[in-house]
Amino acid sequence: MTIGERRAAATLSGIFGLRMLGLFMILPVFALYAEHLDGVTPTLVGLAIGAYGLTQALLQIPAGMLSDRIGRKPVMVAGLLLFAAGSVLAAMSDTIHWVIVGRALQGAGAIASTVMALLADLTREEHRTKAMAFMGASIGVSFAVAMVAGPVLNHWIGVPGIFWLTGALALAAIAVVILLVPTPHRSGLHRDTEPVPALFGKVLRNGELLRLNYGIFSLHLLLTASFTVVPLALRDFAGLASGYHSFVYLGVMAGSLLVMVPAIILAEKKRRIKTVFLAAVALLAAAELGLWQLHGSLSAIVAALFVFFAAFNILEATLPSLVSKVAPPDSKGTAMGFYSSSQFLGAFIGGAMGGWLHGRYGIEGVFLGSAVVAALWWLVAAGMRHPSYLSSYLLRVGPVDDAQARLLSERLAGVAGVAEAVVVAEDQTAYLKVDRSRLDVEALQQYAVA
């Protein structure tokens, strides 16, 4: 990668990571803080936790498409301004209803697809996978840091202070966008990172992709629903003061990451993805059942949370990999767009479901309901096909007409290690699915242009 590509990957990953940090830091603390807000009910607490997911799910694909028309940076700046405004509104609110509005406004700053598109503008095809992996890692680190930092910052500055901080970080991110993120010489549609309206029907008719969308929906539903009550269980049932919750999250997150690495190696290198995937979903159900039955014991909660986050991290890493493997070569960006929307919608439904179950059936109802969701997900996932162990590969082929594109697709499909090939004339790009262990790179590069 060139210096410019590394700079683009670093700055955009930082912006995306800081935004996710701001969204997730309240997850382990908001249920405790909300008790002091006017008009509070368990259902409204859940809505406040998950409200960002609804607006994010509805707006992220349209925002990405808008950035194709008016430019990436204007959409990113507007999104970050909305996020900052939502943070300030939530910080200043003393009623649960206005906090919900603030959280929804945070989600309205839906820049995920735009950031991906800009990263694609600023990286060459052969280095884009590395850049995207760097961004994915930043999201994972942000989530882990948020779970630990949230209780610490709550002890120091309170939840309003966390909202003020996230608003300030969003404004700082705007400065980074304007001053540090490179401006692309040319912006275009990138089928590997952006949704393409003409491909919506094709993707939404793909049963395996729908199964994976249901999976990420369920995963974030379980996360958000569980954390409408986990902080309360730690404090009220296990007797752990809120100032010490960060130690629990630090321990379980660190331990879960140690489990995740060998599990991912087993899944990918040993080609046991479906086995590992189903085992992780089953562990989620087991963790929720453990929380349902044993949430009065601190050691039991810690053990259940360790199992939960070990499974969560494995699935969070495995699901996007499966989408990439399943999606047609020219539809990866479209598939990932609907996948991300499903994730955010799951966060919204999870908050609403968790709050409603808490109000009607207590903490036990939330954990039992979540266990049922995990069990249903296992049944859906059990029918998934064994995935092909293929990777996406982009090749710049230069100007071709439609007839030449069809002929070139056939020739590329004949190269050793190429399983699928689609050449899109208007993109001047070949979208391939390849088996990297068998791929004849030299033969492939004969069709590439500089």
Side-chain angles (χ1 to χ4, degrees):
M1 295 176 71
T2 65
I3 293 175
E5 287 173 325
R6 289 196 294 270
R7 178 180 164 194
T11 53
L12 290 173
S13 296
I15 291 167
F16 202 84
L18 285 174
R19 185 178 177 280
M20 298 308 292
L21 186 71
L23 286 172
F24 281 122
M25 272 198 297
I26 75 153
L27 191 61
V29 297
F30 188 78
L32 304 175
Y33 164 74
E35 295 173 334
H36 308 292
L37 294 171
D38 292 339
V40 70
T41 68
T43 299
L44 293 177
V45 171
L47 286 174
I49 291 174
Y52 79 93
L54 180 61
T55 46
Q56 180 93 355
L58 293 175
L59 295 175
Q60 65 132 358
I61 290 179
M65 294 169 64
L66 179 63
S67 76
D68 289 331
R69 293 179 175 273
I70 68 171
R72 314 297 189 201
K73 287 191 175 183
V75 171
M76 288 177 62
V77 169
L80 289 166
L81 283 172
L82 283 172
F83 183 84
S87 301
V88 170
L89 179 58
M92 296 179 65
S93 299
D94 55 9
T95 69
I96 189 68
H97 301 90
W98 281 110
V99 172
I100 292 171
V101 174
R103 286 286 281 173
L105 195 55
Q106 282 185 318
I111 62 170
S113 59
T114 306
V115 172
M116 295 292 189
L118 181 54
L119 185 59
D121 287 338
L122 295 168
T123 54
R124 289 166 292 166
E125 288 84 354
E126 60 267 30
H127 296 297
R128 197 163 298 153
T129 300
K130 288 184 285 187
M132 293 298 175
F134 192 77
M135 181 167 288
S138 76
I139 296 170
V141 170
S142 295
F143 176 72
V145 170
M147 294 302 298
V148 177
V152 174
L153 290 173
N154 181 45
H155 183 68
W156 291 346
I157 60 178
V159 170
I162 294 175
F163 282 129
W164 281 113
L165 176 61
T166 56
L169 290 174
L171 295 178
I174 292 175
V176 173
V177 171
I178 296 171
L179 301 175
L180 298 180
V181 175
T183 299
H185 299 298
R186 182 180 65 89
S187 289
L189 181 63
H190 305 278
R191 293 169 185 258
D192 59 320
T193 60
E194 295 180 72
V196 180
L199 297 174
F200 284 4
K202 180 180 180 180
V203 165
L204 291 174
R205 288 191 298 269
N206 187 311
E208 290 301 303
L209 289 175
L210 291 177
R211 198 189 304 271
L212 296 173
N213 290 344
Y214 180 80
I216 194 64
F217 170 87
S218 299
L219 184 63
H220 280 261
L221 182 155
L222 291 169
L223 174 70
T224 313
S226 298
F227 273 85
T228 62
V229 294
V230 163
L232 300 174
L234 282 170
R235 186 194 65 184
D236 299 338
F237 288 82
L240 185 68
S242 59
Y244 295 97
H245 288 193
S246 59
F247 294 107
V248 171
Y249 301 128
L250 177 61
V252 298
M253 292 301 293
S256 68
L257 291 175
L258 294 177
V259 173
M260 181 190 77
V261 174
I264 296 301
I265 292 173
L266 175 63
E268 293 285 354
K269 300 296 185 182
K270 303 299 183 181
R271 303 201 167 189
R272 295 287 187 270
I273 286 184
K274 183 174 179 179
T275 301
V276 171
F277 189 91
L278 291 175
V281 178
L283 285 175
L284 283 179
E288 296 289 358
L289 289 173
L291 289 168
W292 170 47
Q293 286 293 304
L294 303 170
H295 57 268
S297 163
L298 178 59
S299 59
I301 291 178
V302 171
L305 287 177
F306 167 73
V307 172
F308 180 93
F309 280 113
F312 179 91
N313 288 329
I314 291 168
L315 292 163
E316 188 83 346
T318 304
L319 276 162
S321 174
L322 284 169
V323 172
S324 181
K325 289 176 170 61
V326 170
D330 60 334
S331 306
K332 180 182 173 184
T334 305
M336 289 303 300
F338 283 106
Y339 169 87
S340 296
S341 294
S342 300
Q343 170 184 327
F344 294 121
L345 185 61
F348 170 69
I349 298 297
M353 185 193 87
W356 181 80
L357 287 174
H358 183 207
R360 190 171 181 88
Y361 301 107
I363 284 178
E364 296 85 355
V366 178
F367 293 136
L368 181 57
S370 297
V372 171
V373 170
L376 290 174
W377 179 15
W378 191 93
L379 292 174
V380 172
M384 69 187 287
R385 298 174 187 168
H386 287 280
S388 57
Y389 291 84
L390 302 175
S391 303
S392 298
Y393 194 103
L394 302 185
L395 195 70
R396 189 78 173 170
V397 297
V400 292
D401 59 30
D402 289 340
Q404 291 171 324
R406 286 192 296 270
L407 180 60
L408 186 54
S409 296
E410 295 174 3
R411 290 177 177 173
L412 289 170
V415 174
V418 177
E420 297 179 65
V422 177
V423 178
V424 180
E426 62 183 305
D427 296 357
Q428 301 182 19
T429 300
Y431 300 89
L432 311 175
K433 286 291 190 66
V434 303
D435 181 346
R436 291 187 182 274
S437 65
R438 297 176 49 246
L439 184 63
D440 187 343
V441 177
E442 289 185 5
L444 207 56
Q445 288 302 317
Q446 293 177 10
Y447 298 97
V449 298

